[in-house]
Amino acid sequence: FSYDEASAVISNLSNHLSEQGLYKNDKISILSENRAEWGMCWLAITTIGCTAVPIMTDFSEEQICSILEHSEAKYIFVSKKLLPKINESELVKNNNFIIIDDNPLFDKTDNLYKQSIDIVNANEPDDIAALIYTSGTTGTSKGVLLSHKNIMTNTCDSVTVGKFERGDSMLSVLPLSHMYEFTQGFMLPMIEGANITYLGMKPSPTLMLKAIAEVRPHYILSVPLLIEKIYKSSVLQQISKNAVLNFVYKIPPLRMLLNRFVIGKKLSKTFGGRLKFFGIGGAPLSETVERFLREARFPYAIGYGLTETSPVLACSGAFKTIFRAVGPALKNVKLRISGEGEIQASGDSVMQGYFKDPEKTSQVFTKDGWFKTGDLGLIDKRGTLFIKGRLKNLILGPAGENIYPEEIENELKANPLVAECIVLKQQAGLVARVFLDQDKLKQYLEEIKLGLSNLQAEKEAVLENLRKSINKNLSNFSRLSQIIEQEIPFELTPSLKVKRFLYT
């Protein structure tokens, strides 16, 4: 779609919604995989003063129907693939839905010369633009109310971090129903006149690298899990196959030179040779992977925020990162650290509250109106934000020491055998649950030839060796008493974080 074609489609969709009797402040939902039409639906909804209710495609049928009911949605845009998830909803029963696929309403040529809509219900800055239902690691889904001011302030303030230029190319791989991808990966490039290519399905390292080779993007937004998998499969695997490289990589000065002049240049070509900005957010990035990205001169940038803050609170631009830090607060954001170490925020991008839940809304704001993020951190003299972990995940050591499980998890995930993990406190002490990369485990066992009686015994020996190795890098009170294998993959949120509440 060109911008002209998209504009015409948005006008046509807005007219259609008005004809269905939808008015200012009505809720209209979007349930679809990423595609160009997704953003047009959002803009058509907000153009006539209605509120968009995007829904994560990974939500269960029960969750989706519950959201549609709770949000009081009067209409829904839905893809053919996801239509079965709402078959039992009142919207489908009353025919209050549009299937996005192959719909003439989205036809480029038919809509191009149609008269644009007269916007009767103009939006005010504090009008609600979106109602976003979160899917966090705690298991509770809350409806976050975001105004036009919230979203546009955050989007426009992000321009200075990674400025798009007209004609630049963006490869979109994360769900558009996630605010991180919506503001930074849709609104921002649209404002700057860039173009966006959609992956069209769930991202995997193989699929991403194939798409990157075709698109040669200037910008990508990712979560740590994706870049960590690419690092393990494309970098570590190649090094482990070469005895000389494997030896050299263990010597820091030589490793730095190898990363800078050999692997870094090869990685740049792998990413199409035009990459200017690789944004990473949603969870902590592994220390090992970040060190590699820095040494390879890869244009990564770190961001931090929440759905409730539209979402970015602090970030650093490419080549402006500080090791293990997030960066400074955005232009219109103020940050402070409470007495117990919690990050608190205020500014125009902070939400209006939780829909139909004044009690939870009051719980997340201080008496003087600052939003409580639930994250632990510190701010140095330069105003740089460092994240320590989640307040709810904080573990107290035997003498009251603060233990941040995320830091231990990052140590574990640096090992190529570990695909994903979580650290918990149990009666025996600190215990890690680890999901192993089965292909790498098989390769590793073939190389070391333990010769134990069965696979289970060999895996237990590997886990025990991993525990001893990890503990060498940890303080006494943070050491693991046991590592347990997670036999099936962890259940993840749409932003690819482990749903901790399922395993505690």
Side-chain angles (χ1 to χ4, degrees):
F1 288 85
S2 70
Y3 277 85
D4 268 349
E5 289 165 344
S7 177
V9 169
I10 291 162
S11 294
N12 197 41
L13 291 172
S14 297
N15 282 321
H16 176 82
L17 293 172
S18 296
E19 289 167 2
Q20 305 307 305
L22 294 157
Y23 301 101
K24 190 176 177 72
N25 300 325
D26 283 344
K27 314 291 191 308
I28 302 175
S29 192
I30 306 171
L31 178 63
S32 170
E33 309 80 8
N34 280 15
R35 61 210 310 154
E37 293 87 348
W38 197 106
M40 296 180 211
C41 292
W42 174 294
L43 292 172
I45 291 166
T46 52
T47 292
I48 60 169
C50 290
T51 299
V53 186
I55 300 178
M56 304 278 190
T57 59
D58 286 344
F59 280 166
S60 67
E61 183 178 328
E62 183 181 358
Q63 285 175 304
I64 292 170
C65 289
S66 174
I67 287 170
L68 290 175
E69 183 178 346
H70 184 267
S71 67
E72 302 169 4
K74 293 190 175 180
Y75 210 78
I76 186 169
F77 290 97
V78 61
S79 67
K80 284 179 182 177
K81 183 180 177 181
L82 295 170
L83 182 61
K85 284 194 171 187
I86 61 166
N87 271 338
E88 298 304 312
S89 71
E90 291 300 314
L91 293 179
V92 171
K93 290 175 183 177
N94 295 325
N95 204 34
N96 291 326
F97 69 98
I98 289 179
I99 294 177
I100 294 175
D101 314 51
D102 304 319
N103 192 313
L105 285 169
F106 295 92
D107 188 276
K108 298 180 185 183
T109 52
D110 281 0
N111 293 319
L112 189 53
Y113 299 107
K114 288 186 178 179
Q115 185 178 358
S116 295
I117 186 172
D118 294 321
I119 303 173
V120 178
N121 300 316
N123 293 306
E124 296 297 328
D126 290 326
D127 288 347
I128 301 301
L131 173 53
I132 312 284
Y133 284 84
T134 64
S135 175
T137 56
T138 60
T140 55
S141 187
K142 303 179 288 288
V144 178
L145 293 165
L146 297 177
S147 69
H148 290 275
K149 183 198 287 183
N150 290 153
I151 293 170
M152 292 314 301
T153 298
N154 204 260
T155 302
C156 293
D157 286 352
S158 300
V159 168
T160 56
V161 178
K163 187 170 176 60
F164 283 89
E165 295 178 16
R166 183 165 298 195
D168 274 356
S169 179
M170 166 93 193
L171 178 62
S172 177
V173 299
L174 301 178
L176 274 167
S177 48
H178 199 282
M179 282 307 295
Y180 174 45
E181 184 67 26
F182 177 75
T183 58
Q184 310 303 301
F186 174 69
M187 294 301 293
L188 187 54
M190 283 279 285
I191 285 172
E192 297 298 314
N195 65 70
I196 309 168
T197 301
Y198 292 102
L199 196 59
M201 57 190 75
K202 278 189 178 181
S204 67
T206 304
L207 184 61
M208 266 186 71
L209 291 173
K210 182 182 177 185
I212 286 165
E214 293 178 15
V215 177
R216 298 182 62 230
H218 297 92
Y219 287 79
I220 300 176
L221 297 179
S222 176
V223 290
L225 186 59
L226 286 175
I227 189 64
E228 285 166 7
K229 282 185 175 180
I230 289 172
Y231 168 72
K232 288 179 180 180
S233 61
S234 297
V235 178
L236 284 190
Q237 197 165 11
Q238 290 181 23
I239 291 168
S240 64
K241 289 178 181 177
N242 187 308
V244 175
L245 286 179
N246 206 15
F247 173 76
V248 168
Y249 216 67
K250 292 174 182 177
I251 304 169
L254 296 179
R255 182 201 68 221
M256 291 173 67
L257 291 171
L258 187 63
N259 284 338
R260 172 70 184 95
F261 295 105
V262 181
I263 300 175
K265 289 187 176 182
K266 186 175 180 181
L267 189 66
S268 177
K269 288 181 181 177
T270 301
F271 275 80
R274 303 194 300 180
L275 195 64
K276 298 196 290 189
F277 187 93
F278 190 94
I280 302 171
L285 176 65
S286 157
E287 182 174 337
T288 303
V289 176
E290 184 176 7
R291 183 178 289 108
F292 163 73
L293 295 177
R294 291 179 75 79
E295 292 175 357
R297 302 287 178 89
F298 190 76
Y300 81 102
I302 300 290
Y304 162 73
L306 303 90
T307 303
E308 288 90 338
T309 56
S310 306
V312 182
L313 287 173
C315 56
S316 57
F319 304 117
K320 294 180 181 179
T321 55
I322 296 171
F323 189 57
R324 306 313 294 150
V326 174
L330 276 188
K331 180 181 175 183
N332 286 294
V333 171
K334 292 180 181 177
L335 296 177
R336 72 183 185 189
I337 306 297
S338 73
E340 58 181 340
E342 182 185 34
I343 304 164
Q344 297 179 350
S346 71
D348 288 342
S349 61
V350 175
M351 69 167 181
Q352 308 301 294
Y354 295 120
F355 186 51
K356 296 195 288 193
D357 203 336
E359 185 178 345
K360 278 183 181 170
T361 301
S362 64
Q363 288 172 2
V364 297
F365 283 95
T366 63
K367 289 182 180 179
D368 58 348
W370 287 63
F371 174 70
K372 300 190 285 186
T373 66
D375 290 312
L376 295 162
L378 58 90
I379 300 172
D380 69 11
K381 292 178 181 178
R382 297 169 295 181
T384 303
L385 177 67
F386 292 77
I387 308 292
K388 302 297 289 182
R390 288 290 292 171
L391 183 59
K392 289 180 181 178
N393 299 340
L394 180 67
I395 298 170
L396 289 179
E401 305 95 340
N402 286 346
I403 300 171
Y404 304 101
E406 293 89 348
E407 292 182 352
I408 306 172
E409 289 160 9
N410 280 334
E411 288 282 343
L412 284 164
K413 286 191 284 187
N415 189 295
L417 297 178
V418 177
E420 191 54 86
C421 63
I422 55 172
V423 171
L424 311 164
K425 185 179 181 180
Q426 297 184 352
Q427 285 186 342
L430 291 179
V431 174
R433 296 184 71 91
V434 170
F435 178 66
L436 297 168
D437 185 310
Q438 299 303 313
D439 291 335
K440 288 187 174 61
L441 176 65
K442 183 180 178 183
Q443 180 184 339
Y444 177 69
L445 290 175
E446 287 174 354
E447 288 173 359
I448 62 172
K449 297 177 181 175
L450 280 175
L452 297 179
S453 57
N454 56 54
L455 178 60
Q456 185 59 35
E458 290 188 332
K459 283 198 286 188
E460 288 175 3
V462 168
L463 292 175
E464 180 57 17
N465 287 337
L466 176 61
R467 185 187 72 84
K468 290 177 179 177
S469 173
I470 291 296
N471 281 346
K472 289 177 183 178
N473 300 325
L474 301 173
S475 54
N476 289 338
F477 58 82
S478 295
R479 287 176 180 163
L480 297 169
S481 62
Q482 188 180 10
I483 295 183
I484 302 169
E485 184 189 8
Q486 172 73 18
E487 295 184 351
I488 59 173
F490 288 103
E491 192 168 331
L492 306 177
T493 69
S495 56
L496 304 183
K497 289 181 284 191
V498 175
K499 293 184 177 179
R500 287 179 180 269
F501 69 95
L502 296 176
Y503 306 97
T504 54

